[in-house]
Amino acid sequence: MSDASALPYRPCVGIMLVNGDGLVFVGKRIDNKEGDAWQMPQGGVDEGEDLKRAALRELAEETGVGEELVTVIAQTREELLYDLPNKLVGKLWGGKYRGQRQFWFLIRFGGGDSDIKLDAHNPPEFNEWKWVAPDTLPDMIVPFKKRVYRAVLEEFHDLI
């Protein structure tokens, strides 16, 4: 791709799933061969889909956690954007996007660890998961998403 800036951003939602201890769910991506890539659940918004509905759908697909086990606490005020590194443009999402534009949701988890089922969707996105302290998130994520994670933390900090 010679000019990624000509491509649009992919509409997306992200989910900060927080348990009763104030810890955040992260999953280790199956498709990342370059190391220890952890992230919070996220995914594309279908055309015409409500953002909250998309967040609950993505959460169920990636973690097996249904909406009966969660409470939506907040949504980011604005979309957060990130650009893919040049080496990934053209390889992800059929080469149609330069990165993602995301609204993030803070969602409180009311279930137990046994309610998390990474194989709820085929194919699964994560092969491991864990609860982590919120402030450790930027150190766990791929570099091109760090700014977004810091912004999500800043906006949701007092609600976690």
Side-chain angles (χ1 to χ4, degrees), residues 69-120:
L69 295 174
V70 300
T71 304
V72 177
I73 305 296
Q75 175 186 322
T76 52
R77 292 181 294 276
E78 297 177 2
E79 283 184 307
L80 301 170
L81 306 177
Y82 74 80
D83 290 318
L84 290 170
N86 287 336
K87 68 181 182 178
L88 294 179
V89 175
K91 293 181 180 176
L92 297 180
W93 312 306
K96 297 188 298 189
Y97 302 103
R98 67 190 278 182
Q100 296 197 90
R101 54 186 179 93
Q102 303 174 313
F103 277 101
W104 280 82
F105 288 82
L106 175 62
I107 298 181
R108 179 92 48 215
F109 179 55
D113 287 359
S114 63
D115 293 312
I116 295 175
K117 311 260 190 271
L118 298 183
D119 60 356

Side-chain angles (χ1 to χ4, degrees), residues 14-29:
I15 300 102
M16 178 181 270
L17 183 67
V18 180
N19 69 12
D21 295 325
L23 299 175
V24 179
F25 173 96
V26 291
K28 188 174 182 183
R29 292 195 57 91

Side-chain angles (χ1 to χ4, degrees), residues 129-155:
W129 71 273
K130 60 185 174 181
W131 297 108
V132 299
D135 293 343
T136 66
L137 289 167
D139 295 329
M140 305 178 80
I141 191 68
V142 292
F144 61 92
K145 293 183 184 179
K146 286 183 186 293
R147 184 186 50 76
V148 168
Y149 272 49
R150 287 185 185 110
V152 170
L153 277 170
E154 183 177 325
E155 187 162 346

